[in-house]
């Protein structure tokens, strides 16, 4: 059946026209996309929106993730990573250990270092400032993408200072941009059930907006496939879209499918691969003002991450080196990919690899 006929059959013709014209979709239109029984149609619309912006270009980054601690005062029910202080497997890296991890990759032409951790009850802002300055001295040109709004609020509360002051001090020490974690799902009733100790969705958005107002770019995320409804996902996307209209600093959105192992949210059946892809496609179609959508291979797995590149995503993240949050929750992807593997994955799909840095500026170097 021709595409236009299939769109008409599923009442998606108006949505398709709006996508073609670059017009914003409503929540009800997002719902209609989720309700469409043909995921390939939804994917085709998302792929059209993706190619309109990026063509077949697919970005990746040479990056290293470092988790400085898994000790956390929050106890998010979906999180398999956190430990309480003194508990087995709890860790906190000394500045020397952070330095060693950076030095161990000194041969790699990294352009991004991604640092996040738990909300540790005893590490002061001076630890984070020293970590950033140490890394900056070793890697003067790298984009330092560190901390989430959740960590910024935590540091501010521990120090008794404002999040604004925290951000200014961290920027002074070398922070270039912030990571997008901690958004989860903004719906308060779901948040109460999956992460009651964490800052509210409203506060997460405020701190992201504050960072933007200081000239810091940030990323944003959505954790999906747990207790939330499709409507919760759409409202989450709408809140991100509204924030982006106001402050404009989100560079990239990362859809994070829930990994089910080793945490307190039991009895949840993983989404099917098709449901994941459809969700990613709807994210692209709703988030008309966020330029980049990441296909995060760590959580999606390598083959699903490739498929997502045809369902709205235009970026494959990076080399990563070491990842704990997804892997402790059962992700069965590798720990590290090389530049060649990332480029082969992209080319193998008929797409065009393009190396980028943390801020999504193109880097000359890849082939
Ligand atoms: O904030 C925790 C999520 C996030 C699980 O900014 C889980 O470029 C799935 O935000 N299943 C951390 N997800 C990862 C993250 C991220 C990753 C890559 C790039 C960027 C970026 C950000 O992982 C947490 C939380 O939302 N998470 N537990 C789980 N069981
Ligand atoms: Fe702590 Fe983050 Fe895990 Fe929540 S998701 S328990 S804030 S490490």
């Amino acid at each position: 059946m021709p595409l236009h006929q299939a769109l008409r059959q599923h009442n998606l013709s108006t949505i398709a026209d709006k996508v073609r014209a670059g017009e914003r979709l409503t929540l009800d239109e997002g719902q209609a996309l989720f309700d469409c029984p043909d995921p390939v149609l939804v994917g085709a619309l998302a792929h059209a929106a993706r190619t309109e912006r990026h063509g077949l270009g697919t970005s990746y980054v040479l990056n290293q993730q470092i988790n400085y601690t898994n000790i956390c005062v929050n106890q998010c029910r979906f999180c398999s990573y956190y430990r309480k202080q003194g508990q087995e497997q709890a860790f906190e890296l000394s500045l020397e250990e952070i330095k060693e991890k950076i030095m161990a990759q000194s041969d790699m032409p990294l352009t991004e270092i991604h640092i996040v951790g738990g909300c540790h009850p005893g590490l002061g802002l001076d630890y984070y400032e020293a970590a950033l300055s140490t890394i900056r001295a070793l890697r003067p040109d790298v984009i330092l993408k560190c901390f989430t709004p959740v960590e910024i609020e935590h540091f501010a509360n521990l120090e008794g200072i404002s999040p604004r002051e925290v951000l200014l001090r961290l920027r002074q020490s070398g922070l270039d941009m912030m990571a997008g974690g901690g958004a989860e799902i903004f719906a308060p009733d779901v948040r109460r059930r999956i992460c009651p100790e964490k800052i509210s969705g409203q506060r997460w958005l405020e701190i992201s907006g504050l960072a933007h107002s200081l000239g810091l770019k940030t990323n944003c995320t959505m954790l999906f496939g747990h207790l939330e409804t499709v409507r919760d996902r759409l409202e989450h996307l709408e809140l991100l879209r509204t924030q982006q209209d106001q402050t404009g600093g989100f560079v990239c959105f990362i859809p994070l499918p829930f990994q089910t192992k080793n945490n307190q949210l039991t009895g949840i059946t993983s989404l099917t691969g098709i449901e994941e892809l459809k969700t990613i496609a709807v994210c692209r179609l709703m988030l008309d003002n966020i330029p980049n959508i990441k296909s995060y291979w760590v959580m999606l797995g390598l083959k699903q991450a490739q498929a997502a590149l045809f369902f709205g995503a235009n970026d494959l993240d990076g080399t990563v080196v070491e990842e704990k949050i997804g892997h402790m929750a059962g992700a069965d992807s590798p720990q590290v990919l090389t530049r060649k593997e990332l480029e082969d994955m992209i080319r193998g799909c008929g797409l065009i690899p393009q190396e980028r840095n943390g801020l999504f500026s193109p880097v000359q170097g890849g082939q």
Side-chain angles (χ1 to χ4, degrees):
M1 186 190 296
L3 185 62
H4 70 273
Q5 224 172 305
L7 287 167
R8 198 158 14 157
Q9 189 190 342
H10 291 291
N11 293 324
L12 295 182
S13 301
T14 310
I15 294 178
D17 289 344
K18 285 179 84 173
V19 171
R20 221 170 288 126
E23 285 172 31
R24 180 159 285 190
L25 301 186
T26 64
L27 245 65
D28 285 342
E29 287 165 337
Q31 184 72 52
L33 291 165
F34 271 116
D35 290 342
C36 173
D38 184 345
V40 175
L41 275 187
V42 182
L45 293 178
H47 192 55
R50 175 252 210 253
T51 49
E52 178 66 25
R53 231 184 226 278
H54 301 282
L56 297 181
T58 302
S59 51
Y60 71 89
V61 61
L62 301 187
N63 68 349
Q64 176 180 15
Q65 286 195 17
I66 298 178
N67 297 126
Y68 56 89
T69 185
N70 65 349
I71 298 171
C72 189
V73 296
N74 296 331
Q75 305 174 43
C76 304
R77 310 303 184 258
F78 57 79
C79 177
S80 317
Y81 166 75
Y82 83 85
R83 295 291 181 271
K84 295 195 189 129
Q85 214 158 15
Q87 204 180 342
E88 215 182 313
Q89 293 180 306
F91 73 88
E92 100 190 34
L93 298 184
S94 65
L95 291 174
E96 198 47 45
E97 287 168 320
I98 292 179
K99 196 169 168 184
E100 279 164 20
K101 282 188 184 283
I102 299 289
M103 302 282 277
Q105 302 303 320
S106 57
D107 288 349
M108 274 188 48
L110 300 179
T111 62
E112 174 190 281
I113 295 182
H114 170 153
I115 301 184
V116 291
C119 294
H120 191 291
L123 292 173
L125 196 55
D126 53 346
Y127 168 87
Y128 304 104
E129 289 175 309
L132 289 173
S133 334
T134 304
I135 300 170
R136 179 54 78 218
L138 293 167
R139 287 276 193 183
D141 300 325
V142 88
I143 297 290
L144 280 176
K145 179 184 76 182
C146 311
F147 315 122
T148 66
V150 176
E151 288 160 282
I152 299 301
E153 173 85 347
H154 174 71
F155 304 162
N157 289 341
L158 271 187
E159 292 287 337
I161 60 177
S162 66
R164 184 171 196 278
E165 197 175 332
V166 169
L167 287 170
L168 290 174
R169 280 175 58 179
L170 293 175
R171 186 169 65 180
Q172 186 70 23
S173 303
L175 180 70
D176 290 305
M177 67 178 293
M178 282 165 59
E184 321 313 358
I185 274 282
F186 294 139
D189 59 324
V190 181
R191 227 169 161 83
R192 259 193 300 280
R193 294 166 70 199
I194 65 168
C195 53
E197 294 87 2
K198 191 169 247 167
I199 58 170
S200 67
Q202 196 49 45
R203 189 67 177 145
W204 187 97
L205 288 162
E206 276 166 22
I207 294 188
S208 297
L210 173 67
H212 301 169
S213 73
L214 298 174
L216 287 165
K217 301 288 186 199
T218 74
N219 287 343
C220 54
T221 52
M222 177 176 77
L223 178 71
F224 67 99
H226 43 88
L227 302 180
E228 89 289 359
T229 61
V230 159
R231 201 71 187 178
D232 292 329
R233 285 181 213 163
L234 288 166
E235 284 171 5
H236 183 97
L237 297 173
E238 189 176 44
L239 284 164
L240 288 175
R241 190 167 74 174
T242 304
Q243 184 65 51
Q244 181 75 337
D245 280 343
Q246 288 163 1
T247 54
F250 291 129
V251 209
C252 178
F253 170 79
I254 306 113
L256 297 166
F258 174 55
Q259 312 293 305
T260 55
K261 306 260 168 53
N262 312 319
N263 56 57
Q264 297 168 69
L265 272 194
T266 50
I268 290 175
T269 312
S270 294
L271 294 180
T272 63
I274 287 294
E275 285 168 318
E276 285 182 0
L277 292 174
K278 199 197 247 187
T279 302
I280 294 168
V282 175
C283 293
R284 164 63 75 188
L285 291 165
M286 294 300 291
L287 294 176
D288 54 8
N289 55 0
I290 300 186
N292 299 292
I293 309 254
K294 189 176 289 192
S295 178
Y296 187 42
W297 58 262
V298 168
M299 304 283 189
L300 290 168
L302 301 188
K303 292 189 176 180
Q304 178 78 328
Q306 286 176 300
L309 298 174
F310 286 86
F311 280 73
N314 66 295
D315 180 77
L316 200 52
D317 198 68
T319 44
V320 174
V321 179
E322 182 184 36
E323 198 282 339
K324 292 190 163 58
I325 298 171
H327 286 97
M328 287 171 84
D332 58 7
S333 51
Q335 278 288 334
V336 57
L337 291 179
T338 62
R339 178 207 293 274
K340 180 167 186 324
E341 286 169 324
L342 287 162
E343 291 202 348
D344 285 351
M345 276 175 73
I346 295 168
R347 270 204 205 89
C349 298
L351 299 167
I352 304 162
Q354 169 63 61
E355 187 183 348
R356 61 151 176 103
N357 71 10
L359 288 162
F360 282 77
S361 300
V363 173
Q364 296 316 320
Q367 290 307 315

